[in-house]
Amino acid sequence: MNERLLLGRSIDTGSWVHKLDPRSKITGMLLYVAIILLSTSWMAMGLLAVFSLLVMATTRIPLKYFIKAAKPLRYLMLFIFIVQALSVKSGDVLWSLGSFSLYEGGLRLGAFSVIRMLFLLTFTALLTFTTTPGKLNQGLEGVLAPFKKLGLSPDRITLMISIALRFIPTILDEAQIILKAQASRGADLKELPLKEKARMLVSLLVPVIASAFRRAQDLVYSMEARGFRMDAPRSRYHRLRWGAADTLFVAMFIALGIAVALL
Amino acid sequence: MAIQLQQVSYTYADRSMWRQTALHGINLNIAKGSLTGIAGATGSGKSTLLQLFNGILKPTEGTVQVLDVTITAGEKSPKLLPLRRRVGLVFQFPEQQMFEDTVEKDICFGPLNFGFTLEEAKERARKAMTDMGLDLALLERNPFRLSGGQMRKAAIASVLAMDPDIVVLDEPTATLDPVSRAELIALLERLCREQGRTIIIVTHRMDELLPYADSWALLKGGELAFQGSGQELAADPAILERCGLTIPQSLRYWQAVSTRFGLGTEKPLLTAEALAERIAAVLEERKNAAGTEEMGSGHE
């Protein structure tokens, strides 16, 4: 059990967002991403922040989980900020040292990039927090269905995603056990100097990869044994149902988009 | 005492939404040089309990005392590396932890980590292989090319090579064939009796361990439901059912035989051979007794 890894783990609080059709949530998220990219002013950012916090609050999931979801990428965000701040040369010069100057525009764009990324991570975490992987996948299949006519196979894509998602926790748990087993044999990653750590990593990676291959093999055999066929028509245990709340949810995002565009 | 647990609790992911108490207020004593079996239904906390024994997990409440090392919840624990050498922990499916390209290198991994020289490590590898009843020719083989039973034994040898005083095994016989299972248990018993090591085995098959175990610990829902000898268990097998376990056949047979012939105070016989002999002896006694009685009545 890995507490730090929140990716793809749903937290059931039974809020209205949890009960929405996954298709509406995915559509909402796509709109949200577009809105984030289109908003270029402090006003728009402020509006986005208020909107995001309100929606997050209604999921009844503590805010700290959303923050935790963004935490792993904090250095990337810092990096993006620095690069933007140093490379964009527009607006007033705020500070200069020899041939090097820091512009107001650079700082602003850097800040915007970081804020966008923060919104993107925390808000898309909402999707995985409120939707079980199975439903998410079914929703994705629904959203991708129109592409069938273009020769794209939504089944294939969603199968790939669902298998990948399904095995993340399994492989992590397994890695955890192997980590413990090697620690019991005196290779405790926590207690070793960095150089030794790198060497010990082999003792972790080889067994984990070997077992991932073994699992993949078993999975293929068991799917074949049960006559699995790609693109075969299937009936679903849970049917997706689009209700008034779903329309409302998507409408909220459209309204947000219009507001941001007008600002 | 090799291992002493006082009021030990363990909670996974403490202070988060997924917090889950796996062990609750456990008091457990395991004697030096004994062979102890631990049983319990799935999810009763057996594997968590094992991981406390060598400091892989630290108790969230209470005190764990292993050999001369004391780990108390909330306090900074002493260096755990020396403890890990003295307490060999064999996880479920230990063959999955192998990663080197020869069995020998894999077995040497542990001893080398604990600071032995390559020569010493190789020597220990050979000894551990012999202890596990494996052919030394296998040392040069790739571990992935061994049979299931051989791999399991080689993996256990890789823990034995650290020369631990306590060996803790999580379901060592799972998925092995019946012959390998019996062999493995016999080998582990030898380690206990001949080399004086403390052996602790978690098992789902109580039958195979009952004849050998000195004491048993039963877990139920994260709490210790029973600790005592196999004899005590035989006297009141209902406790097993309360723990969600089925009563092993050997205990059922013994119970049936002892109530039928009134052997309640004797040490339970838990192998088919011993039980058959005892029944034969009882019948013989009865026949003789009946014979003398008959003679007596005939005299009248």
Side-chain angles (χ1 to χ4, degrees), chain B residues 181-205:
Chain B
R181 276 212 297 271
E183 253 177 44
L184 187 57
I185 292 290
L187 285 166
L188 292 171
E189 201 216 359
R190 276 226 320 262
L191 283 178
C192 177
R193 306 295 174 222
E194 289 174 11
Q195 304 181 2
R197 295 183 210 269
T198 310
I199 309 272
I200 300 161
I201 302 174
V202 162
T203 183
H204 258 124
R205 301 171 183 271

mmCIF file of all heavy atoms in Angstrom, chain B residues 181-205:
data_model
loop_
_atom_site.group_PDB
_atom_site.id
_atom_site.type_symbol
_atom_site.label_atom_id
_atom_site.label_comp_id
_atom_site.label_asym_id
_atom_site.label_seq_id
_atom_site.Cartn_x
_atom_site.Cartn_y
_atom_site.Cartn_z
ATOM 1 N N ARG B 181 6.367 -30.314 -0.274
ATOM 2 C CA ARG B 181 5.866 -29.696 0.962
ATOM 3 C C ARG B 181 6.387 -30.434 2.181
ATOM 4 O O ARG B 181 6.942 -29.831 3.097
ATOM 5 C CB ARG B 181 4.336 -29.725 0.973
ATOM 6 C CG ARG B 181 3.694 -28.596 0.245
ATOM 7 C CD ARG B 181 2.384 -28.240 0.890
ATOM 8 N NE ARG B 181 1.422 -29.307 0.842
ATOM 9 C CZ ARG B 181 0.558 -29.498 -0.153
ATOM 10 N NH1 ARG B 181 0.565 -28.668 -1.167
ATOM 11 N NH2 ARG B 181 -0.270 -30.487 -0.133
ATOM 12 N N ALA B 182 6.203 -31.764 2.171
ATOM 13 C CA ALA B 182 6.624 -32.574 3.313
ATOM 14 C C ALA B 182 8.130 -32.449 3.511
ATOM 15 O O ALA B 182 8.615 -32.305 4.636
ATOM 16 C CB ALA B 182 6.227 -34.025 3.084
ATOM 17 N N GLU B 183 8.872 -32.466 2.386
ATOM 18 C CA GLU B 183 10.330 -32.344 2.449
ATOM 19 C C GLU B 183 10.749 -31.040 3.107
ATOM 20 O O GLU B 183 11.606 -31.021 3.995
ATOM 21 C CB GLU B 183 10.884 -32.317 1.024
ATOM 22 C CG GLU B 183 11.599 -33.573 0.605
ATOM 23 C CD GLU B 183 12.021 -33.438 -0.840
ATOM 24 O OE1 GLU B 183 12.540 -32.362 -1.229
ATOM 25 O OE2 GLU B 183 11.809 -34.405 -1.573
ATOM 26 N N LEU B 184 10.110 -29.960 2.655
ATOM 27 C CA LEU B 184 10.473 -28.637 3.144
ATOM 28 C C LEU B 184 10.226 -28.522 4.642
ATOM 29 O O LEU B 184 11.078 -28.042 5.396
ATOM 30 C CB LEU B 184 9.681 -27.571 2.385
ATOM 31 C CG LEU B 184 10.064 -26.118 2.660
ATOM 32 C CD1 LEU B 184 11.533 -25.889 2.358
ATOM 33 C CD2 LEU B 184 9.226 -25.175 1.815
ATOM 34 N N ILE B 185 9.056 -29.011 5.082
ATOM 35 C CA ILE B 185 8.734 -28.936 6.513
ATOM 36 C C ILE B 185 9.758 -29.755 7.304
ATOM 37 O O ILE B 185 10.247 -29.313 8.353
ATOM 38 C CB ILE B 185 7.294 -29.435 6.774
ATOM 39 C CG1 ILE B 185 6.284 -28.465 6.158
ATOM 40 C CG2 ILE B 185 7.041 -29.594 8.264
ATOM 41 C CD1 ILE B 185 6.165 -27.122 6.824
ATOM 42 N N ALA B 186 10.111 -30.931 6.783
ATOM 43 C CA ALA B 186 11.093 -31.776 7.477
ATOM 44 C C ALA B 186 12.441 -31.069 7.575
ATOM 45 O O ALA B 186 13.099 -31.094 8.616
ATOM 46 C CB ALA B 186 11.230 -33.107 6.750
ATOM 47 N N LEU B 187 12.840 -30.385 6.485
ATOM 48 C CA LEU B 187 14.106 -29.644 6.494
ATOM 49 C C LEU B 187 14.081 -28.519 7.517
ATOM 50 O O LEU B 187 15.050 -28.304 8.259
ATOM 51 C CB LEU B 187 14.383 -29.053 5.108
ATOM 52 C CG LEU B 187 14.844 -30.018 4.026
ATOM 53 C CD1 LEU B 187 14.751 -29.362 2.664
ATOM 54 C CD2 LEU B 187 16.266 -30.460 4.311
ATOM 55 N N LEU B 188 12.960 -27.840 7.573
ATOM 56 C CA LEU B 188 12.848 -26.725 8.520
ATOM 57 C C LEU B 188 12.877 -27.238 9.958
ATOM 58 O O LEU B 188 13.466 -26.620 10.838
ATOM 59 C CB LEU B 188 11.561 -25.931 8.258
ATOM 60 C CG LEU B 188 11.545 -25.156 6.939
ATOM 61 C CD1 LEU B 188 10.167 -24.577 6.663
ATOM 62 C CD2 LEU B 188 12.580 -24.040 6.953
ATOM 63 N N GLU B 189 12.234 -28.400 10.177
ATOM 64 C CA GLU B 189 12.256 -28.957 11.524
ATOM 65 C C GLU B 189 13.682 -29.318 11.928
ATOM 66 O O GLU B 189 14.088 -29.100 13.058
ATOM 67 C CB GLU B 189 11.356 -30.192 11.622
ATOM 68 C CG GLU B 189 10.963 -30.461 13.070
ATOM 69 C CD GLU B 189 10.867 -31.916 13.425
ATOM 70 O OE1 GLU B 189 11.088 -32.766 12.540
ATOM 71 O OE2 GLU B 189 10.593 -32.206 14.598
ATOM 72 N N ARG B 190 14.443 -29.869 10.958
ATOM 73 C CA ARG B 190 15.845 -30.207 11.250
ATOM 74 C C ARG B 190 16.648 -28.981 11.651
ATOM 75 O O ARG B 190 17.444 -29.019 12.582
ATOM 76 C CB ARG B 190 16.490 -30.869 10.031
ATOM 77 C CG ARG B 190 16.222 -32.339 9.948
ATOM 78 C CD ARG B 190 17.464 -33.174 9.635
ATOM 79 N NE ARG B 190 18.376 -32.617 8.660
ATOM 80 C CZ ARG B 190 18.387 -32.970 7.373
ATOM 81 N NH1 ARG B 190 17.520 -33.847 6.902
ATOM 82 N NH2 ARG B 190 19.275 -32.472 6.560
ATOM 83 N N LEU B 191 16.407 -27.862 10.926
ATOM 84 C CA LEU B 191 17.114 -26.616 11.251
ATOM 85 C C LEU B 191 16.857 -26.221 12.700
ATOM 86 O O LEU B 191 17.727 -25.708 13.392
ATOM 87 C CB LEU B 191 16.624 -25.473 10.360
ATOM 88 C CG LEU B 191 17.110 -25.425 8.932
ATOM 89 C CD1 LEU B 191 16.471 -24.253 8.230
ATOM 90 C CD2 LEU B 191 18.620 -25.301 8.893
ATOM 91 N N CYS B 192 15.616 -26.466 13.122
ATOM 92 C CA CYS B 192 15.225 -26.104 14.479
ATOM 93 C C CYS B 192 15.861 -27.047 15.495
ATOM 94 O O CYS B 192 16.512 -26.613 16.433
ATOM 95 C CB CYS B 192 13.709 -26.133 14.581
ATOM 96 S SG CYS B 192 13.090 -25.788 16.215
ATOM 97 N N ARG B 193 15.718 -28.349 15.279
ATOM 98 C CA ARG B 193 16.151 -29.336 16.267
ATOM 99 C C ARG B 193 17.664 -29.500 16.298
ATOM 100 O O ARG B 193 18.262 -29.613 17.355
ATOM 101 C CB ARG B 193 15.508 -30.698 15.995
ATOM 102 C CG ARG B 193 14.003 -30.693 15.889
ATOM 103 C CD ARG B 193 13.309 -30.326 17.190
ATOM 104 N NE ARG B 193 11.874 -30.216 16.966
ATOM 105 C CZ ARG B 193 11.123 -29.264 17.486
ATOM 106 N NH1 ARG B 193 11.645 -28.332 18.272
ATOM 107 N NH2 ARG B 193 9.842 -29.228 17.223
ATOM 108 N N GLU B 194 18.299 -29.534 15.106
ATOM 109 C CA GLU B 194 19.725 -29.838 15.071
ATOM 110 C C GLU B 194 20.599 -28.610 15.232
ATOM 111 O O GLU B 194 21.678 -28.670 15.797
ATOM 112 C CB GLU B 194 20.078 -30.550 13.759
ATOM 113 C CG GLU B 194 19.525 -31.966 13.719
ATOM 114 C CD GLU B 194 19.742 -32.619 12.370
ATOM 115 O OE1 GLU B 194 20.500 -32.065 11.545
ATOM 116 O OE2 GLU B 194 19.141 -33.692 12.142
ATOM 117 N N GLN B 195 20.130 -27.468 14.712
ATOM 118 C CA GLN B 195 20.973 -26.274 14.777
ATOM 119 C C GLN B 195 20.473 -25.269 15.796
ATOM 120 O O GLN B 195 21.052 -24.190 15.956
ATOM 121 C CB GLN B 195 21.066 -25.625 13.397
ATOM 122 C CG GLN B 195 21.577 -26.598 12.335
ATOM 123 C CD GLN B 195 21.693 -25.949 10.971
ATOM 124 O OE1 GLN B 195 21.433 -24.776 10.805
ATOM 125 N NE2 GLN B 195 22.083 -26.735 9.984
ATOM 126 N N GLY B 196 19.385 -25.602 16.468
ATOM 127 C CA GLY B 196 18.889 -24.746 17.539
ATOM 128 C C GLY B 196 18.338 -23.405 17.093
ATOM 129 O O GLY B 196 18.284 -22.457 17.870
ATOM 130 N N ARG B 197 17.950 -23.306 15.809
ATOM 131 C CA ARG B 197 17.381 -22.036 15.356
ATOM 132 C C ARG B 197 15.905 -21.946 15.755
ATOM 133 O O ARG B 197 15.218 -22.953 15.847
ATOM 134 C CB ARG B 197 17.475 -21.931 13.842
ATOM 135 C CG ARG B 197 18.893 -21.867 13.330
ATOM 136 C CD ARG B 197 18.850 -21.698 11.825
ATOM 137 N NE ARG B 197 20.022 -22.300 11.221
ATOM 138 C CZ ARG B 197 21.152 -21.631 10.988
ATOM 139 N NH1 ARG B 197 21.247 -20.370 11.319
ATOM 140 N NH2 ARG B 197 22.171 -22.224 10.430
ATOM 141 N N THR B 198 15.453 -20.713 15.970
ATOM 142 C CA THR B 198 14.035 -20.490 16.242
ATOM 143 C C THR B 198 13.329 -20.387 14.886
ATOM 144 O O THR B 198 13.731 -19.583 14.055
ATOM 145 C CB THR B 198 13.852 -19.171 17.017
ATOM 146 O OG1 THR B 198 14.753 -19.172 18.117
ATOM 147 C CG2 THR B 198 12.431 -19.008 17.494
ATOM 148 N N ILE B 199 12.331 -21.217 14.688
ATOM 149 C CA ILE B 199 11.645 -21.213 13.393
ATOM 150 C C ILE B 199 10.188 -20.790 13.600
ATOM 151 O O ILE B 199 9.507 -21.306 14.490
ATOM 152 C CB ILE B 199 11.668 -22.612 12.735
ATOM 153 C CG1 ILE B 199 13.087 -23.172 12.694
ATOM 154 C CG2 ILE B 199 11.005 -22.585 11.367
ATOM 155 C CD1 ILE B 199 13.889 -22.800 11.508
ATOM 156 N N ILE B 200 9.745 -19.845 12.803
ATOM 157 C CA ILE B 200 8.357 -19.400 12.870
ATOM 158 C C ILE B 200 7.761 -19.550 11.471
ATOM 159 O O ILE B 200 8.318 -19.041 10.497
ATOM 160 C CB ILE B 200 8.276 -17.929 13.317
ATOM 161 C CG1 ILE B 200 8.906 -17.774 14.700
ATOM 162 C CG2 ILE B 200 6.826 -17.453 13.344
ATOM 163 C CD1 ILE B 200 9.285 -16.367 15.043
ATOM 164 N N ILE B 201 6.650 -20.282 11.394
ATOM 165 C CA ILE B 201 6.066 -20.554 10.082
ATOM 166 C C ILE B 201 4.605 -20.133 10.062
ATOM 167 O O ILE B 201 3.817 -20.547 10.907
ATOM 168 C CB ILE B 201 6.167 -22.057 9.733
ATOM 169 C CG1 ILE B 201 7.629 -22.507 9.746
ATOM 170 C CG2 ILE B 201 5.530 -22.339 8.377
ATOM 171 C CD1 ILE B 201 7.798 -23.997 9.546
ATOM 172 N N VAL B 202 4.273 -19.283 9.116
ATOM 173 C CA VAL B 202 2.864 -18.969 8.887
ATOM 174 C C VAL B 202 2.340 -20.011 7.917
ATOM 175 O O VAL B 202 3.003 -20.324 6.929
ATOM 176 C CB VAL B 202 2.706 -17.569 8.261
ATOM 177 C CG1 VAL B 202 1.338 -17.426 7.627
ATOM 178 C CG2 VAL B 202 2.897 -16.506 9.313
ATOM 179 N N THR B 203 1.191 -20.567 8.218
ATOM 180 C CA THR B 203 0.694 -21.597 7.324
ATOM 181 C C THR B 203 -0.817 -21.583 7.209
ATOM 182 O O THR B 203 -1.526 -21.164 8.117
ATOM 183 C CB THR B 203 1.157 -22.990 7.777
ATOM 184 O OG1 THR B 203 0.698 -23.947 6.832
ATOM 185 C CG2 THR B 203 0.631 -23.340 9.150
ATOM 186 N N HIS B 204 -1.276 -21.999 6.049
ATOM 187 C CA HIS B 204 -2.704 -22.212 5.837
ATOM 188 C C HIS B 204 -3.034 -23.680 6.023
ATOM 189 O O HIS B 204 -4.173 -24.053 6.182
ATOM 190 C CB HIS B 204 -3.099 -21.785 4.415
ATOM 191 C CG HIS B 204 -3.765 -20.471 4.388
ATOM 192 N ND1 HIS B 204 -3.325 -19.427 3.635
ATOM 193 C CD2 HIS B 204 -4.840 -20.002 5.062
ATOM 194 C CE1 HIS B 204 -4.104 -18.383 3.829
ATOM 195 N NE2 HIS B 204 -5.027 -18.712 4.683
ATOM 196 N N ARG B 205 -1.997 -24.505 5.935
ATOM 197 C CA ARG B 205 -2.199 -25.946 6.079
ATOM 198 C C ARG B 205 -1.663 -26.359 7.433
ATOM 199 O O ARG B 205 -0.508 -26.737 7.568
ATOM 200 C CB ARG B 205 -1.431 -26.697 4.996
ATOM 201 C CG ARG B 205 -1.825 -26.321 3.612
ATOM 202 C CD ARG B 205 -0.848 -26.949 2.650
ATOM 203 N NE ARG B 205 -1.157 -26.553 1.299
ATOM 204 C CZ ARG B 205 -1.991 -27.214 0.521
ATOM 205 N NH1 ARG B 205 -2.573 -28.309 0.948
ATOM 206 N NH2 ARG B 205 -2.236 -26.783 -0.691
#
